[in-house]
Amino acid sequence: MKKQDRNDFMRRLERLDPQFAATPAKARDDRKPWETEKTGSQSPIIMMMLGFGLAVLALFAANDPEMVEALLIQSGWPVQLISYGTNSVSLLIIGLVIFYLANLVRVVTPRATGRWNSGGLVIGAVAALAFTSLDPSHLQAGYDYVGIDGPADILTFARTRGSEIADIDWGSVVMVSSSPK
């Protein structure tokens, strides 16, 4: 049995982790174990839309609990479980507030990774707060512009159009869009 030398170690390292083996030796030695590379996409626009949507839903549920109960009953929840549903919505709102606070801390921490994504979420939540603090006549004008009566119509639209979306053959859509040009 041969004793492993540095060349054997480097060949094994190249086989197991080619990206790490390709970095210069000085960069490998200087890297701290707690430092990680930035992974994931930095898409603050998508995260801003997500943050806006989550915050609007949470603010809608917090400002109008009777409407939440009515929507739960309308969607088919048993009446004896409505209190559990509304309590769960309250817990989700509390969790969402903690989530936004954690992302705010992540934005102001200089060494954090994914700061752009967190910034998008926080900006979306601030935009949702500004949106919901508008005068009700302005909100109704926006609903009229879109062609709906209020937020409950969005749920009704999603429920009626959801079956149409489910009937789409997504495999053929992907095959058509990924065909060579």
Side-chain angles (χ1 to χ4, degrees), residues 55-179:
V56 163
L57 287 174
L59 290 168
F60 169 72
N63 290 335
D64 199 359
E66 293 82 21
M67 179 63 84
V68 172
E69 287 180 8
L71 289 173
L72 287 175
I73 292 171
Q74 183 183 1
S75 66
W77 274 63
V79 177
Q80 64 270 21
L81 298 178
I82 293 297
S83 63
Y84 292 120
T86 55
N87 291 340
S88 299
V89 168
S90 300
L91 288 175
L92 286 172
I93 291 170
I94 292 169
L96 194 60
V97 168
I98 294 170
F99 172 73
Y100 281 124
L101 290 175
N103 277 294
L104 183 63
V105 168
R106 191 173 175 192
V107 167
V108 298
T109 305
R111 293 178 47 160
T113 58
R115 291 175 65 196
W116 284 102
N117 289 337
S118 292
L121 285 169
V122 171
I123 289 171
V126 169
L129 283 170
F131 174 74
T132 56
S133 66
L134 288 175
D135 187 51
S137 63
H138 291 101
L139 288 177
Q140 190 58 42
Y143 291 142
D144 292 341
Y145 181 75
V146 175
I148 60 176
D149 292 329
D153 285 350
I154 297 171
L155 179 67
T156 305
F157 177 79
R159 194 172 325 127
T160 58
R161 299 294 186 173
S163 61
E164 293 175 10
I165 292 172
D167 290 338
I168 295 173
D169 183 14
W170 293 102
S172 65
V173 171
V174 172
M175 296 302 288
V176 170
S177 65
S178 64
S179 63

Side-chain angles (χ1 to χ4, degrees), residues 47-59:
M47 298 308 266
M48 186 170 41
M49 290 187 293
L50 177 66
F52 180 82
L54 288 174
V56 163
L57 287 174
L59 290 168

Side-chain angles (χ1 to χ4, degrees), residues 7-86:
N7 292 332
D8 294 328
F9 175 75
M10 289 306 293
R11 277 194 300 275
R12 185 168 187 216
L13 185 64
E14 287 173 3
R15 188 178 74 241
L16 294 176
D17 192 358
Q19 183 181 6
F20 181 76
T23 59
K26 174 127 176 68
R28 284 191 305 236
D29 295 339
D30 291 343
R31 196 179 95 195
K32 309 291 187 280
W34 58 85
E35 292 176 348
T36 59
E37 294 179 25
K38 292 188 178 189
T39 59
S41 65
Q42 298 284 322
S43 54
I45 302 297
I46 293 172
M47 298 308 266
M48 186 170 41
M49 290 187 293
L50 177 66
F52 180 82
L54 288 174
V56 163
L57 287 174
L59 290 168
F60 169 72
N63 290 335
D64 199 359
E66 293 82 21
M67 179 63 84
V68 172
E69 287 180 8
L71 289 173
L72 287 175
I73 292 171
Q74 183 183 1
S75 66
W77 274 63
V79 177
Q80 64 270 21
L81 298 178
I82 293 297
S83 63
Y84 292 120
T86 55

